[in-house]
Amino acid sequence: MSRHQKSQKKELDKANLRWRYAFFVVVLLVSGPTTHFITQFLRGHPLDSHYFWSELSPQGILGGGLYNGPGGSDWKIGKALATPWTATSLRSMPELRTFALQLVNRDRTINNLPPLVEDPLLSQAAQLHAQDMLKRHYFNHITPEGNTPRERFVAVGGSSRVGIGENILKSIGEKGLGLTYGELEKAQRGWMYSNGHRANLLTAEYTRFGYGIAVGAGGQIYAVQLFAVPDPTH
């Protein structure tokens, strides 16, 4: 083989290697969102197809987890409230609850719905459920004993005459970094692109909100949103 042929072969090998790396990177980028899309569909919680733009567009890839996309064809999602400078700092539970409510009201307001107010009893019930799911390793709106969201709300002192809605989430974050604004942004974006969860977030009749989050030693995250209509007894 001549020197020229060897040089051509070397350049061709380099080009093939670059294409392989590029293909591998594309597979890595696409596999996560695609797996999540299929998993949610199989669980009975299909995602809006616009979810892929929020994850795989140039802004989604380079946005550091803070790009929400435009929303769907008949609904919108607001821009991230966290910034690269505030997204990864650990936060207290009161800070997280305040921020979670801000995210919900951001997305309700942009869809021409009235904001919610925090209800301490809803937050207590949500926090207990998040901690219980983490402790007993299950993921369901119904506890192993059969308690529903409304029954759990009543158990902490809520009215049995109030309509309740619930969103739950299970994910894996970076170890020790679950209690951050960045994780809350990620969870809110996931709920908004999920058709059933978004229905709870954008229900006009809801007026009150509660939030709970629990993080395991290995980075497991369980988050709970609770919604309620006005209490008819008040």
Side-chain angles (χ1 to χ4, degrees):
M1 184 181 293
S2 67
R3 181 179 298 180
H4 178 67
Q5 288 175 322
K6 288 181 179 179
S7 177
Q8 283 185 321
K9 184 177 184 303
K10 186 176 181 180
E11 290 301 318
L12 182 60
D13 289 341
K14 287 182 179 179
N16 286 335
L17 185 60
R18 284 194 293 267
W19 277 110
R20 288 174 184 175
Y21 276 125
F23 177 75
F24 181 67
V25 170
V26 169
V27 169
L28 285 179
L29 290 173
V30 173
S31 63
T34 301
T35 299
H36 180 60
F37 188 91
I38 294 172
T39 299
Q40 289 298 100
F41 177 81
L42 293 176
R43 289 185 60 241
H45 298 289
L47 301 181
D48 189 296
S49 60
H50 293 85
Y51 160 78
F52 285 105
W53 179 257
S54 73
E55 294 289 331
L56 299 177
S57 66
Q59 300 97 314
I61 293 171
L62 301 175
L66 298 177
Y67 177 67
N68 289 335
S73 58
D74 59 353
W75 61 274
K76 300 176 183 177
I77 183 171
K79 294 182 179 180
L81 300 182
T83 69
W85 298 274
T86 64
T88 59
S89 299
L90 294 177
R91 305 290 175 175
S92 67
M93 191 58 66
E95 287 177 314
L96 293 170
R97 287 205 177 106
T98 297
F99 191 68
L101 180 59
Q102 289 173 350
L103 295 179
V104 169
N105 285 337
R106 172 199 71 189
D107 293 333
R108 286 178 66 88
T109 300
I110 200 173
N111 287 283
N112 301 312
L113 292 169
L116 307 181
V117 297
E118 186 188 359
D119 183 299
L121 290 180
L122 287 172
S123 288
Q124 183 180 354
Q127 185 62 35
L128 289 173
H129 189 49
Q131 292 173 182
D132 188 48
M133 288 192 293
L134 173 65
K135 180 180 179 180
R136 296 202 283 172
H137 307 291
Y138 72 96
F139 181 61
N140 204 305
H141 294 284
I142 311 299
T143 70
E145 295 78 22
N147 294 323
T148 66
R150 177 179 291 177
E151 289 169 333
R152 289 187 274 105
F153 176 60
V154 171
V156 298
S159 171
S160 60
R161 299 176 62 186
V162 169
I164 296 290
E166 182 179 68
N167 288 339
I168 59 176
L169 175 142
K170 177 184 177 182
S171 68
I172 299 293
E174 295 184 43
K175 188 174 181 179
L177 292 180
L179 301 177
T180 66
Y181 289 167
E183 286 296 336
L184 265 63
E185 288 274 13
K186 178 182 175 182
Q188 179 69 9
R189 182 167 62 252
W191 278 320
M192 282 296 288
Y193 278 97
S194 170
N195 298 335
H197 297 95
R198 185 177 64 256
N200 275 334
L201 283 157
L202 301 184
T203 293
E205 290 75 18
Y206 289 144
T207 60
R208 295 179 290 152
F209 176 75
Y211 185 80
I213 185 170
V215 182
Q220 312 95 317
I221 299 171
Y222 290 83
V224 179
Q225 292 179 326
L226 277 175
F227 308 86
V229 300
D231 189 336
T233 62
H234 291 172

